[in-house]
Amino acid sequence: MQPARAAARTSDDAPQQARFDERIRAEGKIEPQDWMPQAYRSTLLRQISQHAHSEIIGMLPEGNWISRAPSLKRKAILLAKVQDEGGHGLYLYSAAETLGQERAQMLEELHSGRAKYSSIFNYPTLSWADVGVIGWLVDGAAIMNQIPLCRCSYGPYARAMVRVCKEESFHQRQGYESLRVMMQGTPAQRAMVQDAVDRFWWKCLAMFGPPDDASPHSAQAAQWGIKRVSNDTLRQRFIDATVPQAELLGVRLPDPALQWNADTGHYDYGPIDWDEFWRTLRGDGPCNAERLGARKHAHAQGQWVRDAALQHARKQQARQYREAA
Amino acid sequence: MSARSKDGRAAAPSRVASDGATPAGQAARLGDWPLWEIFVRSKQGLEHKHCGSLHASDARHALHMAREVYTRRQEGVSLWVVPSHLICASAPQDKAGLFDPAADKIYRHPTFYDIPPEVGHM
C-alpha cells in the first residue's frame, strides 16, 4: 500500500475507530453492520470459522462409535450429541458469515488445509470408553473455554456461544455418567476407562493453547474483548475442577506432579509436551489425514444432493410462476 | 450486496459488503443454497424471535433445516424463515437520526407526571 493512501485511510477511519474503542471500553457489543477495524474482523473470522471447523471435524471421532454403541440408549444419546456438534458448527458458520465471508469459502479453507481446527480431534477413539472421556474431559475443557466467549464483544459470536454452552452441559454430563457406569463394571471395563483417561488427559490440557508467555495474539484479543480469560488461567480452572471429579470416578490422572498447593489454592501440574502439540497442529498427528480425508469425502459425496435440492427448488418455483400466470 | 446482510440487520448499504470481503453474486453458484434468517416462537402467546440463519434450497427446506438446527430441545412451537436478502434494516449511521429525537420527549413516559400519593395506584 502506498504510504499516502495509508495515511488518508487512517485519518478517514479515526472517528469510527474512536467510537469502536469507546464501545469496547464500555463493554458494549459490536454488531455486524457496525464499523470495525479490519484486524478485529479478520481475527474474529479466523477464530469463529476455526471454532466451527472444530465442531464439524469433532463429529468424526465420536461418530466412529455410533454403530458400535453398547446399547440402544447409549446409541440414541451419542447420536443426539453428535448431531449437536453439527448444529454448533452451523451456529458458528452462521455467526462467521455475518463478518462477510461466504460459507463455501470457509469450507474450502478447511478442505485445503489452510484453516485449522482443534488438534484434539486428530487423535483416534480406540475404545468405547473414549466416547465417555471425550464427553467428560474434551467437552469439559471446551466448556471452560467457551463460557467466557458468551461475553465476547462481537454480538453474533456471543449469542451463538450462549446456545452452544447450554447444550455442551449435556455432553459433559452424559460422558461422566457413562464412565461411572463402566467404573462400576468389570476390572476390564475399569481398565478401559483408565486407559482412555491416560491417552486424553494431556491432550485436553493442551486444548487451552500455548502458555500465556508464548501466546502472542492473546493481548490484542483481550483488548478487543474477544478473549476474556488467559490460556493458563483457563487450564488451571479446568484442572482444579477436574481433579475431584476424577477422584469421585475412581480414575488416576496420569501426572505424577499433580498435587494440591495450599499456598496458591490450586493444583500444581507437570510440563505439557508442546512439541507434540505443535507437530499435530502442523498436520503430523495420528489422524490428521484421516479426519480431513473423511470430511472432504463426505462433502464431495453430498454435492449431488446439494445440486439436486437447488434444481428441485428452481423447478418448483418455475411451476408456481406458470400456474400463477 | 444485500444477501450478506443478516443477523436481523440491514439489507441496504452494508459495511460488510463494502469491505470487499464478499464477492457479490457468488451465492448464485449452483450448489450454494441461499441464506435464510430463522425466527422461533418459543411458546404460544409470545412473539417470534430471531435466532440465527442457515442455508437451504427453498422455504420448505429451510423450515426442515430450522427444525433440526434451532429446535432440537423443544425451543419452539412455530418457525418463520425469511430469505436474508429480503430483510431491510436501519443502518448504524442512521441511529442518531432515527432514535435520538425520542430522548427529549420524556413526557411520553408515565413517570413524567406528578400525581399526589393520595390518588393511589394510577
Side-chain angles (χ1 to χ4, degrees):
Chain A
M1 188 184 288
Q2 294 154 2
R5 227 181 123 187
R9 188 189 162 102
T10 308
S11 66
D12 278 356
D13 288 346
Q16 292 177 312
Q17 177 77 51
R19 270 200 297 277
F20 173 87
D21 292 342
E22 180 46 38
R23 194 177 294 178
I24 295 282
R25 245 195 313 278
E27 296 279 313
K29 296 287 183 202
I30 306 298
E31 292 295 340
Q33 272 203 306
D34 293 329
W35 184 91
M36 61 187 91
Q38 192 53 45
Y40 176 85
R41 184 186 299 277
S42 52
T43 298
L44 274 171
L45 196 52
R46 189 179 60 240
Q47 179 169 336
I48 303 173
S49 61
Q50 283 182 12
H51 196 159
H53 298 330
S54 301
E55 300 283 356
I56 298 299
I57 297 288
M59 298 165 83
L60 296 170
E62 289 183 286
N64 184 32
W65 283 91
I66 290 174
S67 61
R68 288 175 286 162
S71 69
L72 191 56
K73 172 184 150 187
R74 294 291 167 193
K75 182 172 181 167
I77 293 170
L78 185 54
L79 269 169
K81 180 185 188 296
V82 172
Q83 191 193 9
D84 273 354
E85 309 294 6
H88 297 175
L90 295 181
Y91 306 155
L92 288 162
Y93 280 131
S94 140
E97 278 175 290
T98 65
L99 290 160
Q101 192 170 56
E102 293 289 338
R103 175 124 16 148
Q105 172 69 20
M106 288 185 252
L107 289 180
E108 204 280 313
E109 283 178 11
L110 171 66
H111 296 160
S112 69
R114 283 201 307 283
K116 299 280 180 234
Y117 55 86
S118 178
S119 257
I120 192 79
F121 303 119
N122 287 319
Y123 301 99
T125 41
L126 302 178
S127 79
W128 170 253
D130 288 20
V131 172
V133 166
I134 286 176
W136 173 38
L137 295 179
V138 175
D139 290 318
I143 292 171
M144 242 358 137
N145 250 327
Q146 288 168 350
I147 285 174
L149 290 173
C150 297
R151 294 182 295 120
C152 166
S153 61
Y154 188 58
Y157 192 27
R159 292 191 286 275
M161 290 321 298
V162 169
R163 195 180 290 274
V164 167
C165 284
K166 273 189 203 155
E167 299 181 353
E168 287 286 352
S169 176
F170 141 61
H171 298 178
Q172 191 182 21
R173 291 172 65 106
Q174 67 81 33
Y176 193 73
E177 190 244 21
S178 139
L179 297 177
R180 269 179 58 86
V181 171
M182 290 184 79
M183 289 305 284
Q184 286 154 14
T186 64
Q189 286 174 310
R190 286 198 291 277
M192 199 185 277
V193 174
Q194 183 63 57
D195 170 64
V197 170
D198 289 347
R199 279 182 288 109
F200 275 96
W201 174 248
W202 288 105
K203 320 292 188 229
C204 289
L205 296 191
M207 278 174 72
F208 295 94
D212 294 346
D213 51 19
S215 183
H217 303 302
S218 286
Q220 178 62 80
Q223 208 183 347
W224 277 331
I226 297 174
K227 189 168 179 58
R228 297 277 181 179
V229 187
S230 84
N231 293 353
D232 285 330
T233 306
L234 287 169
R235 189 167 12 247
Q236 187 68 59
R237 266 186 208 170
F238 173 71
I239 293 168
D240 292 348
T242 307
V243 173
Q245 294 167 2
E247 281 165 8
L248 269 170
L249 195 58
V251 294
R252 185 178 34 79
L253 297 174
D255 178 0
L258 191 67
Q259 201 181 352
W260 177 251
N261 182 331
D263 294 336
T264 60
H266 296 291
Y267 285 91
D268 291 336
Y269 56 97
I272 295 168
D273 183 356
W274 290 112
D275 289 341
E276 200 270 352
F277 172 80
W278 291 117
R279 264 200 312 280
T280 305
L281 197 69
R282 276 199 307 268
D284 295 331
C287 298
N288 295 55
E290 185 185 330
R291 299 289 183 242
L292 210 51
R295 172 65 212 145
K296 275 154 54 178
H297 179 72
H299 191 69
Q301 293 292 102
Q303 187 62 53
W304 74 267
V305 180
R306 295 191 293 278
D307 291 345
L310 208 55
Q311 285 296 8
H312 176 73
R314 285 173 184 167
K315 253 187 180 164
Q316 291 290 110
Q317 203 177 32
R319 186 172 301 161
Q320 274 172 12
Y321 285 149
R322 268 203 310 279
E323 281 167 8
Chain B
M1 98 134 192
S2 51
R4 298 300 333 128
S5 50
K6 34 190 297 301
D7 201 51
R9 315 140 327 176
S14 154
R15 241 342 263 195
V16 177
S18 59
D19 276 351
T22 318
Q26 198 182 33
R29 206 170 54 205
L30 186 68
D32 286 352
W33 296 336
L35 196 61
W36 301 76
E37 297 302 320
I38 312 304
F39 299 79
V40 177
R41 164 175 279 162
S42 59
K43 66 180 208 191
Q44 203 67 19
L46 294 182
E47 69 277 50
H48 286 77
K49 204 172 149 190
H50 182 249
C51 68
S53 60
L54 50 77
H55 290 268
S57 58
D58 62 14
R60 210 156 62 98
H61 186 203
L63 279 172
H64 283 298
M65 298 288 274
R67 180 234 173 268
E68 291 300 323
V69 176
Y70 291 108
T71 61
R72 289 193 299 280
R73 289 178 175 75
Q74 298 179 297
E75 288 92 338
V77 295
S78 162
L79 289 165
W80 285 353
V81 299
V82 181
S84 302
H85 72 276
L86 292 183
I87 290 189
C88 222
S90 61
Q93 59 269 28
D94 298 339
K95 187 166 149 259
L98 287 170
F99 307 113
D100 284 0
D104 62 357
K105 296 180 178 62
I106 48 172
Y107 48 84
R108 286 181 169 164
H109 295 275
T111 46
F112 179 74
Y113 302 94
D114 261 337
I115 303 288
E118 306 87 86
V119 176
H121 177 72
M122 181 183 274

